[in-house]
Amino acid sequence: MEFSYIGKNYKRVDSFEKVTGNAVFTDDMKFPGMLFAKVLRSPIAHGKILEIDISNALKIKGVVKIVTGKDLDVKRVGACIQDQYPIAKDKVRYAGEPVACVIATSKYAAEEAVKEIKVEYEEFPFVIYPQEAIKENSPIIHENVFEYERAGFIKPEGKNCFHHFKIRRGNIENTFKNAYKIITGEYWVPYVHHVQLEPHCAIALYGYDNTFTIYTSSQAPFVVQNIVSKIHSLPLSNVRVIVPYVGGGFGGKSDVTIEPLVSFLAKMVPGRYVKLSLTREEMFEGTNVGRGVFAKYETAVSQEGKILGLKAQILLGAGGYADYAVNIVNGIGMSATGPYEIDNLQIDVYGVYTNTPPTGAFRGYGHPEAHFTCELQMEKIARELKIDPVEFRLKNILGPGKKNAIGQVMNENSGRFDLCVKKVAEEIFKEPREENKDLLIGRGIAAYMKTPIMPNNAQSGAVMKLNEDKSITLYVGAIEMGQGTYTALSQIAAEALNLPVEKIKIVKQVDTSFSPYEWQTVASHTTWGVGNAILIAAKDLSSKIKKAGSRVLKIPENEVDFNIDYVFSKINPSIKVELEKIASGYVDEKGSAITSPLIGEGSFVPSGLEFLDPETGQGNAAADWTCGCVGVEVEIDKNTGRYHIKKLVNAIDAGKIINPKIARDQVIGAMIQALGATISEVLIFSDKGKIRNNDLVDYKIPGIEDIPDEAKVIFIETPEETGPYGARGLGEHGAVAVSPAILNALYDALKISFNQIPVTPEQILKALEEVK
């Protein structure tokens, strides 16, 4: 199928504003009489608050109010499980939890007052790692886990376990009894941070009419609206949430973090805007972290290399409060088999409270954690069976007629899992190795697949208005946070209306008072979900244009068509009227208006999805899957342990690519972010359970010297039958399988297994010494 605007590169619609510094972010905003908030955070990981002395802090000039948990008059917070307050009440469950807040007339006054607040604690034992939190002698972090309001699918089991997700299929015992080999492995993905370019910021106004206006850097304005309305027992229409540009999210701004606290503070000073802007250091302990997964795999295989069965126990360290971590638990379970057919399954994933900052969404939502374990395990199996790792994967890879972990049968439109592996293998293994006595070359691959982890009724909306200058104003509820969403959506709208992309003017601010509803901008869902809503809105607007043209031209509606210039008769194109003349009400020769302003509306919700069976984990719960494969060539200096990525390749079947350049940039960015977690990024905790490396001096993100010599993205475009013009999501997918591919390449060179990340030069040198 030939397209006019799809599959082509267009300049990003937000580029001028961003490169000139004219783009407005939440922290750029100022309001008359605005107050500033500063948070005092717990220095301990677990304990009881005995006393808070604010007397000296109140003496600081400019202090308007100091708020503690005793002032709370709101409900517990939580979209999935309501287990926390906006500010600690009686007990703290992680180092960094808010215990007091200062509201002042200046940032300086607020900062000075925070230093004067004295808090007395009774310290309790704490636990950082989930494998420790489930032990009998571990401290209980939430005493009332069964009493919290929660979504129906959440299954707490007590003793720090707030959710248990399981998959059961086939006859696991007989499979393991009769298998040729049972291969086991244990793996750890540590806690890491998103390190968004823009720190979290929110500004809230509580009006005397019992309304909230909130500006925030969020991926989920409608979720913020819903939660704020619930905790303050207000009608939804009393809460307005506005999101300007967002400077990076990666999932860390999809979970509701600082907004309930800022709303609570604003309620204490009605009629005044209150602003809370986090420092870089506060970002590490005052928002969400990512990952924190321990896994144990037991895989039953045949002598020929067929995977017969899998037993998996996986623990997610969710931090002091769970909420959205329950969905990460499900995401890990649904993808625990990787992109392979395994008939017999016993998978148990546990969400576990720990005394760390809450674990939330982080680019991949459980899939990078699951694939880290799965792909290292696949490589280990291939080695033990002495089968080529590419051949082994292709022997077990999903394809038409085969079932994934939750029992969905793949079809021709599910993507070419096999072709992704073959393309990467060709790129990585085709050239001879250039080694010498000091430098080793290693090569490795890791296959993957990902689905959007979303509710079955995840809704998307779009509204488009025809203007008098023949342009289209497009409203969506999706957030632009650097991923190029607004450009891709503009191209979809242009294709649907057969109008130039330059004529599509997308509104670059989301406001819950007028923007169409959007579940949230997560799960690589926007191009697919909002794109479908745009197609429906475009069809509605096209119908209205043709209906108006029929009245103006006095011809049957089915004979009317339009382009950028005219509405015309398909039978006799000389019968026409300028498009702009019918945009806001055409007046006939008598002066009577015979058409109305033209607005198209579209709402999309996936159809046919269902809940998974709570006992077997089987069901049609995933709307679509995007598959791919990552390949790595790494160069290692045996004398220093330092290693460098020479080649990083990702073959991804994301359906029809809307904008190849933006899509490539998305995948490359995800791969580099995952590279950071592989080579250096890890949160380090002190003996008090506090994050020690909470700045960009000690928390090492990739630098220019870490960028691969060559990074290549190969798009395999199997159309997705439910996607707009056959498109699937791809925003997170580049991050899913990079880490295991690198570790597999390290093994290929060193013949040494690493079962956790990051892998540092020091670890490599130590391992080489041990081998000697």
Side-chain angles (χ1 to χ4, degrees):
M1 181 178 180
E2 291 294 321
F3 295 107
S4 299
Y5 308 106
I6 298 298
K8 296 176 171 57
N9 294 324
Y10 285 88
K11 183 176 70 175
R12 287 177 51 145
V13 300
D14 56 338
S15 58
F16 180 81
E17 293 164 276
K18 288 183 175 177
V19 300
T20 58
N22 289 317
V24 175
F25 297 83
T26 306
D27 201 30
D28 295 322
M29 296 179 170
K30 297 179 176 65
F31 297 94
M34 187 168 70
L35 301 173
F36 299 85
K38 192 69 180 175
V39 179
L40 177 67
R41 302 182 182 279
S42 169
I44 65 170
H46 195 199
K48 184 178 181 181
I49 300 172
L50 300 177
E51 186 178 353
I52 301 178
D53 183 358
I54 63 174
S55 57
N56 287 337
L58 286 170
K59 297 174 185 176
I60 301 294
K61 185 179 179 180
V63 171
V64 175
K65 200 163 191 69
I66 297 178
V67 180
T68 70
K70 292 181 180 179
D71 302 305
L72 278 175
D73 64 345
V74 298
K75 299 176 181 178
R76 284 192 178 90
V77 178
C80 295
I81 179 169
Q82 296 175 24
D83 61 357
Q84 63 180 304
Y85 290 108
I87 188 170
K89 191 173 185 178
D90 302 326
K91 183 179 178 179
V92 294
R93 293 179 170 88
Y94 66 93
E97 184 171 2
V99 295
C101 296
V102 176
I103 306 170
T105 55
S106 70
K107 284 184 181 179
Y108 173 79
E111 290 168 355
E112 289 302 304
V114 161
K115 296 175 186 175
E116 296 298 323
I117 300 173
K118 308 300 179 188
V119 184
E120 184 181 348
Y121 299 95
E122 178 187 349
E123 293 191 45
F124 297 158
F126 65 90
V127 61
I128 298 296
Y129 303 105
Q131 55 269 45
E132 300 296 324
I134 62 170
K135 291 181 178 178
E136 286 188 13
N137 61 348
S138 64
I140 297 175
I141 299 170
H142 284 263
E143 295 80 7
N144 304 311
V145 64
F146 291 99
E147 299 174 15
Y148 296 142
E149 289 187 37
R150 60 183 184 272
F153 69 89
I154 300 174
K155 307 297 181 187
E157 292 193 353
K159 192 53 179 179
N160 296 328
C161 176
F162 59 85
H163 181 42
H164 177 196
F165 176 87
K166 56 187 177 181
I167 291 179
R168 300 288 185 271
R169 191 166 78 201
N171 191 327
I172 197 74
E173 296 307 326
N174 279 351
T175 300
F176 271 66
K177 181 180 178 181
N178 298 317
Y180 171 66
K181 273 192 177 182
I182 309 297
I183 297 167
T184 64
E186 293 187 0
Y187 308 92
W188 168 244
V189 182
Y191 300 104
V192 289
H193 199 268
H194 308 75
V195 196
Q196 304 97 329
L197 186 62
E198 175 207 24
H200 281 61
C201 181
I203 304 169
L205 170 70
Y206 181 67
Y208 292 106
D209 56 349
N210 224 26
T211 61
F212 278 104
T213 301
I214 300 173
Y215 295 85
T216 181
S217 173
S218 171
Q219 298 172 233
F222 292 92
V223 178
V224 172
Q225 180 192 34
N226 185 273
I227 285 183
V228 170
S229 73
K230 282 183 177 179
I231 63 175
H232 293 284
S233 300
L234 291 173
L236 202 64
S237 58
N238 280 32
V239 181
R240 180 187 181 194
V241 178
I242 304 160
V243 177
Y245 279 125
V246 174
F250 314 120
K253 293 176 182 174
S254 64
D255 300 4
V256 177
T257 54
I258 66 172
E259 293 88 0
L261 174 59
V262 180
S263 73
F264 171 54
L265 299 179
K267 196 173 183 180
M268 307 299 286
V269 286
R272 303 285 295 272
Y273 284 93
V274 177
K275 181 178 187 177
L276 176 61
S277 182
L278 301 190
T279 64
R280 176 59 62 190
E281 291 75 15
E282 284 183 296
M283 287 288 289
F284 283 87
E285 59 184 11
T287 60
N288 286 344
V289 300
R291 315 297 185 224
V293 171
F294 174 81
K296 181 178 180 180
Y297 269 37
E298 299 176 74
T299 311
V301 294
S302 71
Q303 189 171 1
E304 298 74 31
K306 189 75 177 74
I307 305 172
L308 304 175
L310 171 65
K311 291 182 183 178
Q313 184 187 61
I314 307 171
L315 308 175
L316 169 69
Y321 301 97
D323 202 22
Y324 265 46
V326 299
N327 296 312
I328 304 174
V329 170
N330 289 6
I332 292 170
M334 290 170 66
S335 58
T337 61
Y340 305 105
E341 182 184 45
I342 307 177
D343 291 331
N344 301 281
L345 298 171
Q346 180 181 304
I347 298 171
D348 293 279
V349 189
Y350 300 91
V352 181
Y353 285 120
T354 53
N355 293 117
T356 60
T359 300
F362 187 9
R363 205 165 196 165
Y365 223 61
H367 293 77
E369 300 91 307
H371 283 79
F372 180 78
T373 296
C374 178
E375 284 300 304
L376 291 182
Q377 184 80 349
M378 294 300 108
E379 200 76 7
K380 188 174 184 179
I381 296 168
R383 291 197 301 265
E384 294 210 17
L385 295 179
K386 295 181 172 57
I387 299 176
D388 176 79
V390 174
E391 178 189 338
F392 174 68
R393 285 173 171 83
L394 291 174
K395 189 184 291 282
N396 292 283
I397 204 80
L398 286 169
K402 297 183 177 181
K403 286 184 180 181
N404 63 19
I406 60 173
Q408 291 177 312
V409 180
M410 302 289 102
N411 58 41
E412 297 293 338
N413 296 304
S414 300
R416 290 294 303 275
F417 293 78
D418 60 332
L419 193 54
C420 291
V421 174
K422 290 175 182 177
K423 288 285 187 182
V424 168
E426 289 171 11
E427 288 288 330
I428 293 298
F429 300 114
K430 64 182 178 182
E431 300 292 341
R433 303 181 194 228
E434 298 180 2
E435 295 184 325
N436 59 46
K437 65 183 181 66
D438 294 319
L439 295 177
L440 297 175
I441 298 296
R443 293 164 173 172
I445 67 169
Y448 66 87
M449 67 178 191
K450 186 191 177 299
T451 184
I453 301 299
M454 63 184 190
N456 295 344
N457 64 339
Q459 301 160 57
S460 296
V463 174
M464 46 179 60
K465 176 168 68 76
L466 176 64
N467 301 314
E468 291 88 339
D469 63 351
K470 300 183 289 188
S471 67
I472 300 291
T473 301
L474 174 61
Y475 300 86
V476 297
I479 303 299
E480 172 61 66
M481 50 188 169
Q483 76 276 47
T485 282
Y486 289 168
T487 308
L489 295 181
S490 296
Q491 289 179 244
I492 292 172
E495 190 72 43
L497 293 169
N498 194 27
L499 298 177
V501 172
E502 295 75 19
K503 285 294 183 180
I504 309 297
K505 306 298 179 183
I506 191 165
V507 176
K508 299 164 188 166
Q509 176 175 276
V510 174
D511 186 330
T512 57
S513 64
F514 64 77
S515 299
Y517 182 85
E518 173 62 30
W519 164 53
Q520 45 186 321
T521 307
V522 297
S524 304
H525 165 270
T526 302
T527 298
W528 180 74
V530 182
N532 273 321
I534 288 173
L535 294 186
I536 296 168
K539 185 176 181 181
D540 185 43
L541 179 59
S542 297
S543 174
K544 290 174 179 176
I545 291 173
K546 292 175 182 179
K547 187 173 293 186
S550 172
R551 299 187 67 181
V552 172
L553 301 175
K554 298 176 182 170
I555 59 175
E557 189 176 331
N558 62 0
E559 294 181 13
V560 178
D561 204 351
F562 67 93
N563 58 29
I564 184 59
D565 296 312
Y566 297 103
V567 179
F568 56 89
S569 166
K570 290 186 287 186
I571 296 173
N572 184 359
S574 64
I575 301 174
K576 61 186 179 182
V577 62
E578 290 86 348
L579 178 63
E580 62 266 32
K581 287 187 177 180
I582 67 168
S584 60
Y586 184 85
V587 178
D588 66 11
E589 62 274 6
K590 295 180 181 179
S592 298
I594 60 173
T595 67
S596 58
L598 299 177
I599 298 174
E601 301 171 287
S603 294
F604 172 76
V605 62
S607 61
L609 299 183
E610 59 188 23
F611 294 125
L612 293 174
D613 184 285
E615 295 304 316
T616 66
Q618 303 296 287
N620 185 39
D624 69 295
W625 295 88
T626 299
C627 62
C629 184
V630 174
V632 173
E633 181 174 281
V634 62
E635 179 183 82
I636 308 164
D637 187 323
K638 290 190 292 186
N639 299 314
T640 65
R642 292 182 62 83
Y643 62 98
H644 181 70
I645 307 301
K646 292 175 66 65
K647 197 170 192 178
L648 184 59
V649 181
N650 197 325
I652 178 171
D653 192 343
K656 183 62 184 175
I657 302 300
I658 304 297
N659 185 308
K661 185 180 187 306
I662 290 177
R664 177 188 179 276
D665 291 347
Q666 273 274 76
V667 177
I668 294 288
M671 290 198 293
I672 300 303
Q673 189 171 41
L675 172 63
T678 312
I679 65 175
S680 59
E681 292 184 43
V682 59
L683 291 173
I684 301 169
F685 294 86
S686 72
D687 57 3
K688 291 284 188 182
K690 186 175 175 63
I691 295 173
R692 293 174 54 195
N693 56 334
N694 63 340
D695 57 50
L696 296 184
V697 174
D698 297 314
Y699 187 88
K700 301 293 187 181
I701 62 174
I704 192 69
E705 70 280 1
D706 300 309
I707 303 302
D709 294 341
E710 180 185 354
K712 185 172 185 178
V713 179
I714 302 167
F715 290 118
I716 297 162
E717 299 183 74
T718 305
E720 167 54 48
E721 58 186 347
T722 65
Y725 301 113
R728 294 186 181 86
L730 56 70
E732 301 163 283
H733 301 75
V736 171
V738 169
S739 293
I742 293 174
L743 268 61
N744 288 339
L746 290 176
Y747 181 89
D748 181 53
L750 301 168
K751 301 300 180 282
I752 297 171
S753 295
F754 295 97
N755 293 338
Q756 65 181 54
I757 49 176
V759 177
T760 65
E762 293 78 10
Q763 289 171 311
I764 289 176
L765 280 179
K766 182 180 178 182
L768 286 171
E769 284 298 317
E770 289 174 354
V771 169
K772 287 180 183 178

